[in-house]
Amino acid sequence: MKLKSFLLTVTTVFAVSGVFAQANILNAKSPDKIGVRTDAQIAIDNDKPLEYGYVDDRDILFAKMTWEKVVLDERANFPLYYPIDTNNIGSNRRSLYDVLIKNIKNGNIESIYDDSYFTAKRTLKDIQSALVKIDTTEMGIEQLNAGEELSPEYINRRDITAADIKEYRIKGLWYFDKRQAEMKYRLLGIAPVAPDVQTIDQDTPDLVPLFWVFFPDARNVLHEAKAFNNENSTMPFSFDHILNARRFQGYIYKEENVQGDRAITEYVSQNALMQLLESERIKDKIRDFELDMWTY
């Protein structure tokens, strides 16, 4: 009986793994079948984002809104950054920025905002000036002054691409759910940050958030898009999973406070070490609340 149970368990695990494996490379009879799932696999998969449970405001015993920087130079954050060169890679692998901008353009992400408070909506046309820089060379200016038609070779176009993204800024709420008796985190917004396109070729360009996306509005899109899993390439992580599970390294740069949600740099200036320590202090304050709940 035990042997039967063991064999049944092993069979189930392998069957489920086969269903959820994205590449399907071992079963493909030709290259065009790689990554193509059958109707039966799709039906069993029921692949959609895990829904958030309802949380009543009266059940929130403690809450703290925080803003974090996710710097893409750090190894833990590489899945959000790469690939940046898509010329020699499959269409199923794209960086987080490429996923966001593509779905903003095709309308799958309908609403984008100019700040993390989501007060003013923007359109793709509104943010175009932050994504593209178009310049006319001196030869082109001479053509225009001479009354001639401007030649395309005298127009320089500079687009913000995935390679230019330096960090992401995320906004989320830490809260203690007294029904579940645990501290939880709910991500609310995300913004790609890149050098200002107008100063991008200077030695020290200014970093600016390009736009803010209300995270729950983009979950379906981010669930469909997959990031590379270094441990098992046939089981990639969705961007929705990476961000909800906090599989990244972030630094708090602002918290909601009585001083108008002032940033750490406003009261700890010109000292990177002390700013980092202040970020850790805020993290510890949030963690300590849950620990103190079980201190007798």
Side-chain angles (χ1 to χ4, degrees), residues 7-289:
L7 291 175
L8 181 61
T9 302
V10 171
T11 304
T12 303
V13 168
F14 278 102
V16 171
S17 298
V19 168
F20 283 93
Q22 185 191 31
N24 198 34
I25 192 168
L26 299 179
N27 301 314
K29 304 300 183 184
S30 61
D32 60 323
K33 298 298 182 183
I34 296 175
V36 178
R37 295 179 297 167
T38 65
D39 293 338
Q41 285 177 322
I42 294 173
I44 295 174
D45 196 347
N46 191 24
D47 196 19
K48 61 181 181 179
L50 183 65
E51 293 185 8
Y52 292 141
Y54 176 75
V55 181
D56 195 294
D57 289 343
R58 292 171 296 183
D59 295 331
I60 299 177
L61 200 60
F62 165 87
K64 175 66 71 172
M65 193 78 72
T66 61
W67 288 257
E68 294 175 82
K69 291 181 181 179
V70 180
V71 181
L72 298 180
D73 283 344
E74 298 197 25
R75 185 176 296 276
N77 301 327
F78 281 179
L80 303 177
Y81 181 63
Y82 291 102
I84 56 175
D85 182 3
T86 58
N87 292 326
N88 299 310
I89 202 166
S91 60
N92 61 319
R93 287 185 58 192
R94 290 294 181 266
S95 70
L96 177 56
Y97 175 74
D98 283 336
V99 171
L100 290 174
I101 200 67
K102 174 186 175 182
N103 285 279
I104 289 171
K105 289 179 178 178
N106 64 25
N108 289 335
I109 298 178
E110 297 182 356
S111 301
I112 53 177
Y113 300 85
D114 64 346
D115 62 20
S116 61
Y117 295 96
F118 313 113
T119 52
K121 283 189 177 183
R122 291 291 181 262
T123 64
L124 183 61
K125 184 178 179 181
D126 294 333
I127 66 171
Q128 201 67 24
S129 61
L131 303 178
V132 181
K133 176 184 177 182
I134 299 177
D135 256 347
T136 304
T137 65
E138 293 184 3
M139 292 295 293
I141 294 174
E142 289 180 9
Q143 271 192 327
L144 293 174
N145 291 338
E148 301 174 7
E149 185 178 352
L150 182 62
S151 301
E153 63 266 24
Y154 299 140
I155 300 175
N156 290 332
R157 179 187 175 98
R158 178 67 163 91
D159 291 86
I160 295 293
T161 66
D164 297 315
I165 305 302
K166 301 301 181 185
E167 62 188 48
Y168 284 93
R169 294 184 187 174
I170 62 174
K171 175 186 179 181
L173 182 71
W174 288 96
Y175 65 96
F176 187 87
D177 187 339
K178 67 181 183 182
R179 285 186 179 271
Q180 302 294 328
E182 64 178 328
M183 187 72 74
K184 296 184 177 180
Y185 179 78
R186 181 71 60 84
L187 201 155
L188 299 175
I190 184 168
V193 178
D196 187 341
V197 73
Q198 303 302 325
T199 62
I200 194 170
D201 296 321
Q202 297 179 5
D203 293 335
T204 55
D206 300 322
L207 294 181
V208 294
L210 301 178
F211 52 83
W212 279 87
V213 173
F214 185 58
F215 186 76
D217 183 43
R219 288 196 67 205
N220 286 326
V221 166
L222 297 178
H223 179 74
E224 293 296 327
K226 308 299 181 182
F228 185 74
N229 179 356
N230 206 38
E231 301 298 329
N232 185 353
S233 61
T234 66
M235 297 286 285
F237 297 118
S238 72
F239 286 115
D240 178 67
H241 172 75
I242 289 175
L243 294 168
N244 271 309
R246 291 188 60 85
R247 298 175 69 97
F248 57 82
Q249 174 63 39
Y251 303 95
I252 294 175
Y253 70 91
K254 184 167 72 168
E255 65 168 335
E256 60 177 356
N257 50 52
V258 70
Q259 293 92 354
D261 299 347
R262 65 177 180 173
I264 291 176
T265 54
E266 294 181 42
Y267 61 94
V268 182
S269 60
Q270 299 180 353
N271 193 324
L273 176 60
M274 295 306 296
Q275 290 169 3
L276 183 60
L277 292 175
E278 175 64 8
S279 174
E280 291 300 316
R281 185 194 68 81
I282 296 172
K283 282 184 181 180
D284 290 340
K285 181 174 64 175
I286 295 170
R287 285 195 294 257
D288 288 348
F289 180 88

